[in-house]
Amino acid sequence: MTAEAPAGLPIALDAVGGDHGAPPNVEGAVLAARAGVSVLLVGERVALHAELGRYPGSSALPLEVVDAPDVIGMDEHASDVRGRTEASINVCTRLVKEGRAAAAVSMGHSGATMASALLTLGRIKGVERPAILTHLPARGGMTTLLDVGANADVKASYLAQWARLATVYLKVLEGREEPTVGLLSIGEEDHKGSALVLEAHALLRGLHGHGINFHGNVEGRDIFLGTTDIVVTDGFTGNVVLKLAEGEAKVLFGWVRDALKSSLKSKMGGLLVRGALRGLAERMDPSTYGASILVGVRGLAFIGHGSADAQAVKNALLRADRAYQGRLVPRLEAAFGD
């Protein structure tokens, strides 16, 4: 089993995936390596060595290039993973399966990454469908949201399983002993919501005290108020929430920037609050967490934004290493083996 492999395994990075190809991936890998994380750069060998050559001293870092002559482009079909065994994402997940890498990280085609991870690694026993788990900034810290895109059509049992997966995840990576779980609905009352939500609510209520700490229904605003540590929903709704949050953050910062440039007095005030605004922008930046985990597969797989910069790649690699060192997959398997 991959997760039982000895400590110190490198992270396999799809180093040619994403909107910008190798440059941000290689730079992020160099930053992560300087922070002590070993990385396998997977992609076209000559191009990656040339990119590494731009960083003096990189030859002394724990970085290794693994050749993968093919890459699944952002405009190609996720189903292409089945026939293209030498595509970079397939090589990454295969390295995890073979116990040569601790995790697979990709800023490339999200559908291809999900398909490759599921086909190569399989599911944890007892998990019907894996989910994409992400974090959103909230009052007092962050809210963990899932699913944000892996499953548009779901069953109530999926939501209950995802609540259990997210609970273990937060215990391992964030040190939350009893994270609370909320079910996204159109009202806090138990009787509100679709047929799916009502059925899921009953399942989650039955699990309260038996693997999860169920708070009850939460509304959209609760995600950002930090009412619960975890919010579970279907992948269609979760993806809409995620994209809405990212889009609104950009618009709001644009409004603030315009307001601070509207007059001489505003510009002077802007100088006074510049540091605070920079801190706020960093807190709301998706690159803070780097990538979202595909939780529920029998191995570690992280999916980032196609537009990710080097900082996002670095943070994704650091987070993947933390998940491996914390033995996340064995602990998830143990939770579902009870």
Side-chain angles (χ1 to χ4, degrees), residues 14 81 89 93 106 108-118 294 301-303:
D14 179 4
V81 298
I89 185 56
T93 56
S106 178
H109 195 305
S110 58
T113 303
M114 286 188 287
S116 181
L118 189 55
L294 182 64
F302 288 80
I303 303 168

Side-chain angles (χ1 to χ4, degrees), residues 210-227:
H210 301 280
I212 70 165
N213 181 11
F214 184 50
H215 169 86
N217 287 352
V218 294
E219 298 179 80
R221 62 189 174 196
D222 290 302
I223 295 172
F224 304 102
L225 291 174
T227 302

